[in-house]
Structures are given as C-alpha cells and as structure tokens.
C-alpha cells in the first residue's frame, strides 16, 4: 500500500487509532469520542493511507490491531498525552490572560487616568489591560452594547442617563461645586474684579467635559438666564488643545477641576484662579451642581471583583482631580 505524506496525519486520527487499539470497537470509539461513525471510518482510511498498512483486521467481534499497529500504539499514545499537556498549558495561560477594560472619559480629565490606573494595577498585580477613549455622544449606547466597560461622565443630574432605564448603573463620584478660571497669564481679567458678569466681557471657550447630551454648560446657561451676552468662540474637549488655545488668545475658560492649578503651574503662558464662593453659589443658584458619574452596564446579581476594584481606583483619581 502506498505511503502518503505524514503531514496528512492529524491528532484526531491518532486519538481514534489509540482508542481502537484499546477497545477494538468502532462503535464504542464513536460513542466515547462523540464522533459520528462515518468520521471514524474516514479517519481510519486516512491512517491506512498515511502509514501504507491495514493497521486493524476486522473479525467477528470487532477490529483487532495487527503487528504494525502494535508498534504505532505507544508512539500515538505518547503523542496524545503531549497534546493534552499543550491543552493544559493553554488553559492555564487563558486563565492568566488580562481582562480587557474599555474606559470612556472626558478628554479634559482623561489624561489623569492612564498613569494612575496602571500604577495601581501593577501594585495589586491585577491581570488587567485598560484602554481609555474619549467620552462621546455614543458612549452610553456603547456601554449598553458591551463595547465600553466603564464610562465617566459629567452632568447636572442623572436625568440623561436615567433615560436608558435599568440598562445602566450610575454611581455618583463627586459634585463639582468649585469653579476655576483659566486664561493667558497677561489677560486683563486678572487686573480687575472677577465676577460672572466681567468674565462675559471677553471671548469664552466652552469646555465639553463629558455630558451625555449637548446641553449648555452651567456658565452658558447662567448667561442665558440672566440676559448676559456671551461670545462663545469655540468648544474644546482636549486639555492640551484648551491650554494651547488659551495661551495664544485673549479668551477665557471656566473649569470645575482643582487639578488645573497643578497643571498650569508648569505652563508659563497661562494663569488660573478660583472664583469666590459667592460667585460659585451664584453660578449654581438656579441649576444643579455638575456631578461626575461612573456609568456601567446594569448586570443584576452579577458581581465582578476586578471591576469593583477598578471603580474604587477611578473614584480616588476623580477625588484628586476635583
């Protein structure tokens, strides 16, 4: 019988050879390996072509191995055992594969998360890979679909995210009741009394810091409600783009993040100050204080320890930012 290319030899055929050698019954092998009888016949045919030998002799009570099959059996048995070891190693590696977590955060604060989260992950030796993307108008639906694991959004209330009903789970992280003004270092606003009214005398840069809907910012809303003309020159979502734009123009921006103090101290072209408590109270007198929420898919009765831990780390970072 012609000997075929050994590349045609597959692991399943070797398993069938071993099982046939040990059990002498194609019917038993079919049930034991959960393989249809025709496939057993095709594999046996393939084995005979590869080795150029009948291998098994059909007798009244089943298939009996010939002398050549007896020589092949221990080799095939050892090969199968090796593949089982490969499977165990693969399974162990699968258990060690890092959990992939997609996090959506507003561009103005996203910069603060990668370094802090990776440091915490390394310290706790978590098997976790994170990817941080900008919050967008599609993020809430991405969370519902399972494409995004966690979202960090800023909004006046849970009204917008509540529109998704019980599909989303929202956790309040921090209320942002402080207001910080940022502009170029030599901006004339710093040489006069700073009020919500005097700020409106200069071109304004709006910062879309991650609201689920495109509503006016608290300051834009304040100006609308009080009949104050405000020239909103541009809306910027990236902290680096915001700093660059402010440094090269006579525009002003308001942010709710205390961390801008630390960042601006390293940028000679910019200066920042905190608005008085009185002005902050005036700003939020007729509207809810903006709040940072952690948003994730609502999975009742399903607790993920890694996500619970990660949520706690995000809360710490947000506390530092605010």
């Amino acid at each position: 019988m012609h000997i075929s290319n050994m590349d045609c030899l597959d692991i399943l055929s070797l398993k069938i050879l071993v099982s046939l050698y040990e059990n002498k019954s194609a019917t038993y092998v079919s049930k034991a390996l959960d393989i249809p009888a025709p496939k057993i016949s095709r594999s046996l045919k393939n084995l005979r072509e590869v080795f150029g030998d009948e291998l098994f002799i059909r007798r009244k009570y089943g298939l009996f191995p010939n002398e050549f099959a007896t020589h092949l059996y221990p080799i095939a048995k050892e090969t199968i055992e090796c593949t089982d070891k490969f499977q165990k190693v693969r399974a162990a590696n699968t258990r060690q594969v890092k959990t992939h977590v997609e996090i959506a955060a507003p561009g103005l604060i996203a910069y603060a998360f990668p370094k802090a989260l990776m440091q915490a992950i390394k310290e706790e030796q978590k098997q976790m890979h994170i990817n941080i993307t900008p919050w967008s108008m599609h993020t809430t639906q991405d969370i519902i679909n399972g494409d995004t694991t966690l979202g960090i959004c800023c909004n006046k209330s849970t009204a917008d995210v509540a529109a998704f009903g019980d599909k989303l789970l929202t956790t309040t992280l921090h209320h942002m009741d402080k207001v910080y003004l940022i502009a170029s270092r030599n901006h004339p606003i710093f040489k006069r009394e700073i009020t919500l009214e005097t700020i409106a005398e200069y071109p304004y840069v709006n910062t879309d810091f991650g609201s689920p809907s495109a509503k006016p910012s608290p300051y834009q809303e304040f100006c609308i409600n009080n009949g104050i003309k405000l020239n909103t020159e541009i809306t910027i979502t990236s902290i680096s783009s915001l700093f660059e734009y402010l440094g090269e123009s006579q525009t002003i921006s308001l942010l709710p993040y205390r961390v801008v103090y630390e960042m601006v101290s390293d940028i000679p072209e910019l200066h920042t100050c905190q608005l008085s408590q009185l002005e902050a109270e005036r700003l939020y007198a007729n509207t809810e204080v903006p709040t940072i929420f952690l948003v994730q898919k609502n999975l009742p009765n399903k607790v993920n320890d890694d996500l619970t831990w990660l949520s706690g780390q995000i809360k710490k970072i947000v506390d530092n930012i605010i």
Side-chain angles (χ1 to χ4, degrees):
M1 193 176 280
H2 176 69
I3 299 177
S4 182
N5 193 331
M6 293 293 289
D7 290 340
C8 296
L9 191 62
D10 60 274
I11 298 299
L12 178 60
S13 294
L14 290 180
K15 284 186 176 181
I16 290 172
L17 185 150
V18 169
S19 190
L20 278 175
Y21 184 92
E22 293 175 344
N23 299 287
K24 315 294 190 298
S25 169
T27 302
Y28 178 88
V29 171
S30 175
K31 292 180 180 179
L33 299 181
D34 193 22
I35 297 173
K39 193 165 186 177
I40 299 291
S41 298
R42 289 195 299 271
S43 293
L44 182 55
K45 182 175 181 291
N46 179 59
L47 286 167
R48 285 168 169 164
E49 290 178 352
V50 168
F51 292 111
D53 191 274
E54 280 297 307
L55 300 177
F56 293 92
I57 303 169
R58 183 173 295 279
R59 292 181 179 169
K60 184 177 181 180
Y61 298 106
L63 291 169
F64 286 79
N66 63 16
E67 184 178 356
F68 186 62
T70 301
H71 289 304
L72 290 179
Y73 169 74
I75 303 172
K77 181 81 168 178
E78 184 177 356
T79 302
I80 298 303
E81 290 173 352
C82 286
T83 60
D84 290 340
K85 290 178 182 178
F86 278 125
Q87 291 284 7
K88 289 178 181 179
V89 171
R90 187 175 76 91
N93 184 60
T94 300
R95 289 193 291 271
Q96 293 298 317
V97 169
K98 293 183 177 181
T99 302
H100 183 81
V101 182
E102 286 282 336
I103 302 174
L108 290 174
I109 61 174
Y111 69 90
F113 288 92
K115 184 177 180 180
L117 284 180
M118 287 311 302
Q119 182 176 346
I121 288 170
K122 289 178 180 178
E123 289 176 354
E124 293 295 321
Q125 297 183 336
K126 292 285 185 179
Q127 294 299 317
M128 189 180 298
H129 173 77
I130 61 173
N131 184 45
I132 298 177
T133 57
W135 179 282
S136 73
M137 61 185 296
H138 306 293
T139 297
T140 45
Q141 190 59 52
D142 289 341
I143 295 172
I144 292 173
N145 295 342
D147 298 324
T148 298
T149 314
L150 298 172
I152 302 158
C153 75
C154 310
N155 195 33
K156 295 175 185 176
S157 68
T158 56
D160 287 317
V161 289
F164 291 92
D166 59 358
K167 295 179 181 179
L168 292 177
L169 177 65
T170 59
T171 305
T172 300
L173 296 183
H174 214 296
H175 298 292
M176 299 182 288
D177 57 354
K178 302 292 190 298
V179 186
Y180 303 90
L181 182 148
I182 181 171
S184 62
R185 179 167 295 279
N186 298 319
H187 198 288
I189 189 70
F190 296 119
K191 297 179 181 179
R192 58 185 300 191
E193 183 183 7
I194 300 176
T195 67
L196 297 176
E197 286 76 16
T198 58
I199 291 171
E201 296 177 19
Y202 304 95
Y204 184 72
V205 177
N206 185 45
T207 56
D208 178 4
F209 48 80
S211 173
S213 60
K215 292 182 177 180
S217 68
Y219 184 59
Q220 288 175 318
E221 191 171 332
F222 173 86
C223 291
I224 293 171
N225 293 338
N226 290 276
I228 300 173
K229 184 179 180 181
L230 177 66
N231 174 22
T232 301
E233 195 166 280
I234 190 173
T235 295
I236 294 178
T237 61
S238 164
I239 194 72
S240 58
S241 298
L242 175 66
F243 286 174
E244 182 179 359
Y245 193 87
L246 292 172
E248 297 177 352
S249 67
Q250 287 296 296
T251 53
I252 289 175
S253 188
L254 296 177
L255 292 171
Y257 311 120
R258 178 190 57 79
V259 76
V260 296
Y261 272 131
E262 302 170 12
M263 300 186 68
V264 171
S265 64
D266 297 325
I267 305 175
E269 298 84 9
L270 298 177
H271 184 65
T272 186
C273 68
Q274 181 179 340
L275 267 61
S276 68
Q277 188 63 31
L278 174 62
E279 293 303 300
E281 290 174 358
R282 290 181 61 212
L283 178 62
Y284 299 127
N286 297 309
T287 185
E288 291 183 70
V289 174
T291 302
I292 292 187
F293 297 99
L294 181 67
V295 185
Q296 56 189 305
K297 189 173 183 179
N298 189 16
L299 299 171
N301 304 320
K302 187 175 181 180
V303 179
N304 186 312
D305 292 337
D306 282 340
L307 288 187
T308 300
W309 174 85
L310 189 60
S311 299
Q313 297 304 311
I314 290 174
K315 174 68 165 61
K316 291 179 182 179
I317 297 171
V318 169
D319 287 344
N320 183 58
I321 292 171
I322 306 303

